[in-house]
Structure formats: C-alpha cells, structure tokens
Amino acid sequence: MTKDGLMAAMVFVYPTILIAVSWWRSRGVKKSEDFMVAGRSVPALLLVGTLVCTWIGSGSLFGGAGLAYRTGLAALWFSVGAWTALVVACFLAGRVRRIAQFTLPDLLEKRYNAAARMLGTLTIILAWIAIAAYQFRGGGWILAIVTDGRIPVETGIFVTALIVVTVTILAGMSSVVAVDIFNGVVISVSLLFALPFMIFKSGGIGQILGSLPPSYLEPMGGHNFLWILGVSLPTFLLLLGDSGIYQKFFSARSEHAARRAALGMLVGVVILESSLALLAIVGRSAYPALPQSGTVQGLAGSETVILQVARNGLPALGGALLLAACVAIVLSTANSFMVVASSNFTRDVYHRFLAPGASERRLLLVQRLTIVVFAGLALLLLTQFETVLAMALYAYSLIGAGLTPAILAAFLWKRVTPQGGVACLAGGLLAIVGIGVASRLGVPFVLQIGGSAFDFAGSDYIVLPGLLASLTLLIAVSLLTPPSPPEKWQPFRPNKT
C-alpha cells in the first residue's frame, strides 16, 4: 500500500473503530444518568484522558497551530490562558463533584435561580453548537486534503457530522469516555513522535531557528498587550466556564478523583498544546510558503500545517498515526460538545420546565433527538466565519463574558446574589451577541488606543467589552440587592470538615 493509501485508510478506519467502541458501550446505558454523566463512576485516569481530548479540538489543531505558524512562540498565549484556568480548576474540581449535579445550569440554579439556569443553558447551547460546527468543518478539511479533493469539503463536513452523531447517540458520556481512551493514546504518541522527527529532519534546532523571522522567538511576537489579552483571556474564561469540564467532574467517581483528574488534565494539556505549537513552528521552517499556497475551501494555508507535516514530512506509518490523531482531535471534541449541549436542553429545559415527570426512556429519546437537531444547527452556522480561529474566539467569548464570571462568583464570592448572577449572565450574552450583530449591520466598534486601531467587534477583542459589561453588572447588582442566605452559598465553599 502506498503512503497516501495508508493515510487515507487510517482516516476512514479509525472512525469505524470508534463507532464500534460506542456501540459496545451503549449496552450499558439504561438511564439518563448513564448518558449524561456516565453513571458517576469514572476513575481519575480515564477522566484525565477524556478531559484532555475534549479540550484539544479543531481550535488547537487548525486555529492554534495556524497562529503558531504565523506568529511563532507568541501563539502559546492562546494556550496560556487555559493553562492558568486549569490551575484554578484544580482547586474547584473537588467542590464541583461534591455538589454532584448533572449539568452546569443545575449548578447555576442551585446558587442563583431558575432564570440563571435558563440564561446559562442558552449561552452554553449557542457556544457549544458553534464549537461543534468547526469540528465538523475540521473533519471536512481532513477528508478533502487526504483524498486530494476527491471528497469535497462540503461532503466531508456532512460525513464528519454523521460520524459524530452516530458515536454520540449510541452511549452519550459513556461513549465519550470510552473512545477518548483510544484518542488520548493516539494523539499523545503521534505528537511526541512527530516533533522530534521533524526537528531532526529539518537539520536540528539551530537550522530551524536560523530560518525563522526574529519575531518568532520573542515572547510577544511583535504584538502589544491588548493582543495578548485578546487571545489568552477567551481561553482562560472558556475553560473555567466550560460546561463539558464541569459535567465530567460530575462524572468522577469521587471528589478525590475529580481533583486528580484536574491536575492530570493540566499536565496533559500543557504537553500536547505545546507540542502542537512547536510542531507548527517547525512546519513553518519546513514549509514557509503555506500562506500563499493553494488550499482547500475556507481553510487558510497556515492552518493546514499539521496536515502538511503528516502527509509530506513524516514516514508512512508516522504520517498515518498523526492523521489518525487529527481525526481523534476532531471527533472527540465534537461528540463531547454534542453530549453537553443536548444534556443542557434535555435536563435544563425539557425535564426542568416542559416535562418534569418524563420517564428515563423518554429523556434518553429526547436527548438523542436533540443531538441530531443540534448537529443540523451546527451545519447552518458554518457560513458565518472565515477561519477556525475567528469562530473559536467568538464561541469562547460568548462563554467567557457571561457564564464564567457567574460561575466563579458562585464559588469564590459569597456576597453575590441571584439578581447579580442573572444580570451578569444576561449582560455578557447580550453584549457579545449585540456587538456581533451590530457590527455585521455596519456599526463600527473601532477605537484608537496608543496610536493603534482596535476593532472590539473583531474576534480578537470582542471578549473585552463583553467581560466589562458582565463584571460591572455582577458587582453592582449584587451590592445593590440583599445578600443571599447561608444555605445558598455554603455548599459552594470549601469543605472544612
């Protein structure tokens, strides 16, 4: 078999294996708790694998790698925000598991009220559908590139969506945890092989550094502080507001397992995201003309760098393994976000408000149907953004501007009130959506600061006005309303016993 044939076979065979694993896990799904939180029985090691695989998706594979290709080491600021957030998550994970809800909006209602639950659900569904959408697009790009265009991007997108829906509806969170064991191993082994191999093939570190622009080695890469804030703050805020992360902490076997998993996730994400960024920078040395080269529809040349390394830089087996890792990155993130978004609708809208007495069988049916509907909505969103990075930053900002401040306040500030939490959630959501819509209608949001122009409706900076609005409302409304009673905030404080 030729190298291209082996790679193409891997891209098609690997999803088949994941579908088989999901079918096997589906036999153990008997109730909604199994589907949403895997029966609250996931040990720490398995939880680490699924947490890492959920976080590292198309945003890292295409957007983050493309940013590293274009800017060098400064691209790691995109990841540093998440790493910092993971340090905070290590302290919160045990408390999250102790509260032991099903979804993040469950937690919001427990600390605030039903309105907070609904606003949180709406924010999560909007953002998570967008994130799932660019996973579908990532799968379409992979299929188009591997088959040299014989499978068009549009067809590849639909094929990816079909695979994700199939894997997800079979067993929900149980399938996510199971397939991510395979995904985590494939991603880790392929990246840790590809990086040293490409360094050696490119003539060593000295040769690589000599071929790169000087700014590639600078911590800020020639950018200013607002740019650093614009790319790092969304990932910081997203991770701390990531309902998928919280839902997996709810799935942990115990508080101790949740804390250990958060620490393991920190280590795994730092290693793998750094490896992706460094591999993209080495790829810049090996393939310096990607931004000008022809590429598949909707994908900037720089965002194909990891796929270029797999196809042209590595030996056949290594390239096939790295392509399998790319498939794993796309599918593992997409099915996790589909589970979370559908869980939020099923638990926080359908079961909470529309059919409180629904049977377990009905809840499972509704969640599976919701997955199909949300996948269709995700496909409709794909025409709205030019690059993965832009789509990722908008989705991250949607979560980070409203949801994350309300969540952190729930755990860290006992003076926050239900009214303050609701105002924060509403303000962040309306600010991001409102600015985005107004900008598309021609309303300018450009400000001159220090001689430079900043478009605060653009994906790099939109989080800043959104966060300013939500934090202002959170603090002001909480201080202007009566404090919450102890039974509201005590479950969210550290366990002193």
Side-chain angles (χ1 to χ4, degrees):
M1 182 180 292
T2 65
K3 179 179 178 179
D4 285 348
L6 177 62
M7 292 184 180
M10 181 66 81
V11 167
F12 286 99
V13 169
Y14 193 77
T16 304
I17 296 173
L18 300 186
I19 291 172
V21 172
S22 297
W23 174 81
W24 173 70
R25 290 292 297 170
S26 70
R27 299 179 300 169
V29 175
K30 306 299 182 185
K31 53 187 179 179
S32 59
E33 184 178 38
D34 300 328
F35 200 92
M36 292 183 186
V37 291
R40 302 195 197 281
S41 61
V42 183
L45 184 60
L46 300 189
L47 204 56
V48 169
T50 190
L51 284 166
V52 171
C53 288
T54 297
W55 180 254
I56 298 178
S58 287
S60 300
L61 177 63
F62 296 109
L67 186 63
Y69 184 97
R70 297 188 301 272
T71 65
L73 291 176
L76 285 175
W77 289 107
F78 185 63
S79 301
V80 166
W83 302 347
T84 307
L86 278 169
V87 174
V88 179
C90 289
F91 293 97
L92 297 181
R95 277 186 262 174
V96 171
R97 176 59 182 85
R98 186 172 70 244
I99 294 171
Q101 301 296 298
F102 287 90
T103 66
L104 187 56
D106 275 338
L107 186 151
L108 291 173
E109 182 171 14
K110 186 177 181 69
R111 182 62 178 88
Y112 300 119
N113 55 30
R117 183 191 197 112
M118 286 301 297
L119 285 167
T121 300
L122 178 60
T123 302
I124 290 166
I125 289 175
L126 288 174
W128 266 216
I129 288 176
I131 294 174
Y134 64 74
Q135 311 307 317
F136 297 165
R137 178 180 283 173
W141 287 332
I142 292 172
L143 288 172
I145 290 173
V146 167
T147 62
D148 291 319
R150 289 189 293 274
I151 295 180
V153 175
E154 293 83 0
T155 302
I157 288 172
F158 280 101
V159 170
T160 303
L162 180 61
I163 292 170
V164 168
V165 168
T166 302
V167 169
T168 309
I169 65 175
L170 283 172
M173 188 64 76
S174 295
S175 69
V176 169
V177 173
V179 301
D180 279 350
I181 303 307
F182 296 95
N183 291 337
V185 171
V186 170
I187 293 168
S188 300
V189 171
S190 64
L191 286 177
L192 296 179
F193 165 77
L195 181 57
F197 182 91
M198 286 299 296
I199 291 173
F200 176 79
K201 182 178 179 179
S202 300
I205 294 176
Q207 182 71 24
I208 293 169
L209 295 180
S211 66
L212 296 173
S215 64
Y216 273 52
L217 307 181
E218 298 173 3
M220 296 184 69
H223 297 286
N224 54 43
F225 176 73
L226 271 181
W227 183 87
I228 299 296
L229 198 61
V231 297
S232 61
L233 193 58
T235 54
F236 173 82
L237 295 171
L238 173 69
L239 194 142
L240 287 175
D242 188 335
S243 57
I245 300 297
Y246 288 86
Q247 196 161 327
K248 288 178 179 179
F249 288 154
F250 295 147
S251 304
R253 179 177 291 173
S254 64
E255 291 181 41
H256 180 62
R259 286 192 294 269
R260 288 178 59 199
L263 181 60
M265 181 185 180
L266 172 61
V267 174
V269 166
V270 169
I271 291 173
L272 295 183
E273 285 194 328
S274 297
S275 298
L276 268 173
L278 292 174
L279 185 59
I281 293 170
V282 175
R284 169 66 171 78
S285 175
Y287 311 109
L290 286 185
Q292 292 79 36
S293 63
T295 186
V296 296
Q297 177 186 349
L299 182 62
S302 59
E303 293 184 333
T304 69
V305 60
I306 302 300
L307 301 182
Q308 294 289 345
V309 167
R311 293 200 72 193
N312 303 313
L314 300 178
L317 186 58
L321 190 63
L322 184 56
L323 278 175
C326 294
V327 173
I329 285 171
V330 168
L331 297 183
S332 64
T333 302
N335 69 358
S336 181
F337 279 82
M338 285 285 98
V339 168
V340 172
S342 62
S343 295
N344 286 165
F345 176 82
T346 305
R347 170 78 178 178
D348 303 311
V349 178
Y350 181 77
H351 194 205
R352 174 65 177 82
F353 297 105
L354 301 179
S359 66
E360 290 292 333
R361 183 177 180 181
R362 174 62 63 86
L363 292 176
L364 282 172
L365 176 62
V366 168
Q367 183 153 11
R368 284 171 165 143
L369 290 175
T370 303
I371 289 168
V372 177
V373 172
F374 284 175
L377 292 176
L379 293 172
L380 292 176
L381 275 178
L382 289 176
T383 60
Q384 301 303 307
F385 297 88
E386 293 183 1
T387 68
V388 166
L389 185 61
M391 198 170 187
L393 288 174
Y394 268 109
Y396 296 179
S397 299
L398 194 61
I399 291 293
L403 193 61
T404 300
I407 294 167
L408 291 181
F411 285 100
L412 304 176
W413 191 31
K414 67 180 183 181
R415 181 62 180 83
V416 69
T417 65
Q419 298 92 330
V422 169
C424 172
L425 288 159
L429 176 62
L430 291 175
I432 297 297
V433 174
I435 291 172
V437 171
S439 175
R440 281 171 165 75
L441 294 175
V443 179
F445 290 90
V446 179
L447 292 179
Q448 293 288 333
I449 301 176
S452 299
F454 296 92
D455 182 5
F456 286 98
S459 58
D460 286 353
Y461 303 109
I462 195 171
V463 70
L464 301 178
L467 184 62
L468 179 63
S470 64
L471 284 176
T472 300
L473 289 168
L474 174 75
I475 296 169
V477 174
S478 291
L479 294 178
L480 291 172
T481 50
S484 299
E487 58 267 23
K488 274 285 188 183
W489 54 261
Q490 280 177 343
F492 294 81
R493 307 298 291 173
N495 190 354
K496 302 298 185 182
T497 59

